[in-house]
Amino acid sequence: MEEHVVKILEISSVTHNVNRYVVEKPGNYSFESGQATEVVINKEGWKDERRPFTFTGLNEWDNLEFTIKSYIDHKGVTNKLLELKQGDEFILHDVWGAIQYKGEGIFIAGGAGVTPFIAIFRALQKKGQIKNNKLIFANKTENDIILKDEFSEMLKDNFINILSDEKTSAYHHGFITKEFLQKYIDNKQSKFYVCGPPPMMDAVQKILNELSVGKDAVVVEL
């Protein structure tokens, strides 16, 4: 398995607990939008701690970008990331991932599970192929919505947000249910891209099964 030591070039805030990390891109390193790699913090005591993170930039960019949520209460890798500064290093590994664009459809994301979809939508936007793709994005509060302005610009009315812990006139409130999802399904033959916490993934896949959506139409990480 290849290892690539890369410097962090830039760190910036995306939300109150999500940061954008721009790092060097190794030579001959390529990926498809939606794919990921295992990342290691190149510091003593952390080199055996691998975590999967999705590339959120595009393959043709000069550098790599990761958009990562930090879980402060876990005291693990994502919490340690908050201590890093420009010039610190990551160790990257091989590229992997089954989530790739396979046709127009509905993208359903929970929290940081939206990250595989960021590069996919950016690639579609660049090609002028956003079409009627929709993003249903479930979060706890409005402040948790990752790249809210960018998704709003790209998707317009096809950017649908639902908040579980906050009621506001601007967004739906509650959880993704069968009735909620049915409102946005124009064609059951569409692709359904699903990524989020395991309980949310299980619930959404159960709903899609109840709606007679075939397994071949559902794209998830294997």
Side-chain angles (χ1 to χ4, degrees):
M1 182 176 288
E2 289 188 316
E3 291 188 349
H4 307 274
V5 178
V6 296
K7 276 189 168 48
I8 298 173
L9 304 175
E10 180 186 342
I11 302 174
S12 57
S13 175
V14 177
T15 72
H16 63 100
N17 59 1
V18 176
N19 279 343
R20 170 179 177 261
Y21 299 84
V22 178
V23 306
E24 295 172 323
K25 185 176 184 180
N28 299 317
Y29 197 76
S30 65
F31 60 92
E32 296 288 336
S33 295
Q35 290 191 303
T37 187
E38 288 190 324
V39 177
V40 172
I41 297 171
N42 193 19
K43 288 184 178 291
E44 287 302 321
W46 294 92
K47 295 182 182 179
D48 293 329
E49 299 289 339
R50 296 185 182 187
R51 296 293 186 276
F53 295 120
T54 308
F55 305 104
T56 53
L58 301 183
N59 183 59
E60 57 263 35
W61 290 5
D62 293 336
N63 300 307
L64 300 175
E65 178 192 279
F66 298 96
T67 303
I68 302 175
K69 181 177 179 178
S70 286
Y71 299 87
I72 299 172
D73 55 336
H74 290 188
K75 305 302 180 186
V77 170
T78 63
N79 187 48
K80 182 67 176 178
L81 288 173
L82 297 176
E83 300 177 15
L84 300 184
K85 295 180 173 51
Q86 182 179 342
D88 285 333
E89 295 176 338
F90 284 156
I91 302 172
L92 308 183
H93 296 85
D94 295 339
V95 173
W96 56 273
I99 296 181
Q100 296 179 37
Y101 187 65
K102 299 182 179 180
E104 189 174 303
I106 299 176
F107 292 73
I108 306 169
V114 78
T115 53
F117 304 154
I118 294 173
I120 290 175
F121 278 117
R122 285 174 169 173
L124 292 174
Q125 174 81 345
K126 184 175 180 181
K127 297 173 186 174
Q129 296 178 357
I130 288 288
K131 298 181 181 176
N132 197 41
N133 283 292
K134 297 182 177 74
L135 172 58
I136 296 175
F137 197 6
N139 285 282
K140 291 182 178 180
T141 71
E142 182 177 356
N143 288 337
D144 296 316
I145 301 174
I146 296 170
L147 299 179
K148 178 177 65 175
D149 292 343
E150 183 174 351
F151 280 131
S152 295
E153 178 64 27
M154 287 193 290
L155 298 169
K156 308 295 191 292
D157 291 341
N158 282 335
F159 181 37
I160 302 129
N161 290 276
I162 183 166
L163 308 177
S164 62
D165 294 4
E166 180 182 15
K167 287 187 176 180
T168 167
S169 60
Y171 303 112
H172 299 283
H173 174 69
F175 296 92
I176 296 174
T177 62
K178 181 178 178 180
E179 292 72 27
F180 179 81
L181 200 52
Q182 280 180 309
K183 296 177 185 176
Y184 299 102
I185 298 176
D186 299 325
N187 181 351
K188 288 183 183 178
Q189 302 307 311
S190 295
K191 293 293 184 183
F192 293 84
Y193 303 82
V194 186
C195 191
M200 174 257 184
M201 293 274 292
D202 292 342
V204 170
Q205 290 186 83
K206 181 180 178 182
I207 291 169
L208 293 177
N209 184 57
E210 291 174 357
L211 292 172
S212 301
V213 174
K215 289 186 178 180
D216 289 346
V218 181
V219 180
V220 296
E221 192 54 68
L222 301 177

